[in-house]
Amino acid sequence: MKLSVIIPVYNVKATLDRCVESVAGQSFRDMEIILVDDGSPDGCPQKCDEWSRKDRRISVIHKQNGGLSDARNAGLDSAQGEYVTFVDSDDYLDTDTYRQVMAKAADADIVEFPLIKFFGSQREQLVSFRQSDFGDMQAYWLQAHAYEHCYAWNKAYRRSLFQEVRFPVGRVFEDVATLPLLLEHAGKVRTIDGGLYYYCANDAGITATATGKELQMLLDSHLGVLTQWCDSRYYMHVVNIQLDVCHALGTKPVLSRRWVWPLAARLTLSQRIKALTLDLIGIKGLCRLDRIMKGSRS
């Protein structure tokens, strides 16, 4: 079997059929589909069982609620494919996506394909890639800006990468914590320009509702990577997260100060302005200024 598709399921009765239909209807057929019912209290457990009766490639795991990471891990424990991928059950894919992904997977450990972020909202954004190979994981993280799209679900992974890696249970933004660990075991990442994942807007999702405590988890994941891989643009990306944490929790910054040349390559205009301010008043001063500015807008 070539591909295992893991779909965690929790409280998504309205979107589950759309999601599973988009996977079961893929032009690529050599796959198993693992629905992980994470103790869903709505009609999802029954829907999962109905799908398993309709399609012999679909199996169902019923388990007590443990959160998204725990559900993905349960799917990984059961997966048999050479490659594995994930789909969130309120999202879906273009019909020909996995055929295009698996056609390019032969000598790659991770294949990343395009997505539409916040589909169906005013924030809708296409994230596309050129066909590129990365044998240097630092180059993938920094030059391809992988830290901006750490999502678990727009990638297919050689399953052996997960031999010693699992998603951290009890943490949110778990993708950011997990991808760097997988990259430690990867020899080649390939980005492709085919396929499409629809990441649907969800006002109740973690991205939209994250609290200061949850943003701190996101910051902690990036702080761990910064000790290994860092350039000016990535550092300024983490500065933005630090500002959000300071504002939400009223705490002092823990991010180490770094001098950033405002004219450094690949910085956005906003990052250049913040870099200049950072160089003048430091990270603590920037956090204080950010709180004042956000307070004046509220």
Side-chain angles (χ1 to χ4, degrees), residues 232 235 257-262 275 278-280:
S232 294
Y235 181 80
R257 180 174 181 175
R258 173 188 171 114
W259 187 86
V260 179
W261 174 234
L278 178 69
D279 292 342
L280 291 173

Side-chain angles (χ1 to χ4, degrees), residues 44 51 74 101 145 162 200 203 283:
C44 286
W51 272 107
V101 170
H145 308 150
F162 284 97
C200 297
D203 292 339
I283 185 66

Side-chain angles (χ1 to χ4, degrees), residues 125-158:
Q125 176 188 358
L126 173 66
V127 179
S128 59
F129 306 98
R130 289 181 292 183
Q131 176 99 17
S132 301
D133 285 353
F134 296 90
D136 182 341
M137 298 303 109
Q138 176 173 311
Y140 171 64
W141 187 259
L142 298 177
Q143 296 174 20
H145 308 150
Y147 52 85
E148 295 179 350
H149 38 87
C150 287
Y151 315 114
W153 28 253
N154 75 317
K155 302 171 185 68
Y157 313 82
R158 197 178 297 277

Side-chain angles (χ1 to χ4, degrees), residues 63-80:
K63 59 180 288 296
Q64 291 185 337
N65 178 253
L68 179 59
S69 287
D70 195 51
R72 286 177 178 166
N73 292 341
L76 285 168
D77 291 341
S78 175
Q80 298 297 312

Side-chain angles (χ1 to χ4, degrees), residues 21-254:
E21 283 171 2
S22 78
V23 177
Q26 289 286 307
S27 56
F28 182 82
R29 306 296 291 175
D30 186 15
M31 63 181 176
E32 64 175 348
I33 302 167
I34 304 172
L35 303 180
V36 184
D37 162 35
D38 192 33
S40 187
D42 58 0
C44 286
Q46 293 75 25
K47 276 185 172 290
C48 289
D49 291 337
E50 290 170 7
W51 272 107
S52 70
R53 289 191 289 268
K54 287 193 290 186
D55 191 323
R56 62 181 178 80
R57 298 171 301 165
I58 297 178
S59 61
V60 182
I61 298 172
H62 295 289
K63 59 180 288 296
Q64 291 185 337
N65 178 253
L68 179 59
S69 287
D70 195 51
R72 286 177 178 166
N73 292 341
L76 285 168
D77 291 341
S78 175
Q80 298 297 312
E82 181 182 355
Y83 287 82
V84 63
T85 190
F86 305 90
V87 183
D88 283 357
S89 45
D90 50 358
D91 299 333
Y92 66 100
L93 302 105
D94 263 4
T95 303
D96 202 37
T97 295
Y98 289 151
R99 183 194 65 79
Q100 296 182 70
V101 170
M102 299 313 298
K104 301 290 179 65
D107 60 341
D109 295 306
I110 300 175
V111 181
E112 182 170 30
F113 56 93
L115 65 132
I116 296 181
K117 293 173 61 175
F118 311 121
F119 181 70
S121 75
Q122 292 183 339
R123 295 185 296 157
E124 186 174 301
Q125 176 188 358
L126 173 66
V127 179
S128 59
F129 306 98
R130 289 181 292 183
Q131 176 99 17
S132 301
D133 285 353
F134 296 90
D136 182 341
M137 298 303 109
Q138 176 173 311
Y140 171 64
W141 187 259
L142 298 177
Q143 296 174 20
H145 308 150
Y147 52 85
E148 295 179 350
H149 38 87
C150 287
Y151 315 114
W153 28 253
N154 75 317
K155 302 171 185 68
Y157 313 82
R158 197 178 297 277
R159 184 165 60 89
S160 58
L161 295 180
F162 284 97
Q163 186 171 346
E164 299 178 7
V165 176
R166 286 296 186 268
F167 291 94
V169 176
R171 291 186 65 172
V172 296
F173 297 110
E174 66 290 330
D175 301 352
V176 180
T178 306
L179 181 58
L181 300 179
L182 296 172
L183 294 179
E184 290 180 7
H185 301 279
K188 180 185 289 185
V189 176
R190 174 167 293 143
T191 60
I192 65 173
D193 57 5
L196 189 62
Y197 186 101
Y198 291 89
Y199 169 25
C200 297
N202 182 358
D203 292 339
I206 185 60
T207 302
T209 62
T211 66
K213 179 181 177 181
E214 290 158 342
L215 290 171
Q216 182 68 59
M217 294 182 189
L218 174 62
L219 176 63
D220 289 343
S221 294
H222 281 296
L223 290 176
V225 182
L226 273 176
T227 62
Q228 182 179 5
W229 301 327
C230 187
D231 65 6
S232 294
R233 177 161 172 158
Y234 180 40
Y235 181 80
M236 293 309 300
H237 176 82
V238 181
V239 164
N240 280 339
I241 301 170
Q242 177 67 89
L243 295 178
D244 288 341
V245 170
C246 288
H247 176 70
L249 297 179
T251 53
K252 295 180 180 179
V254 296

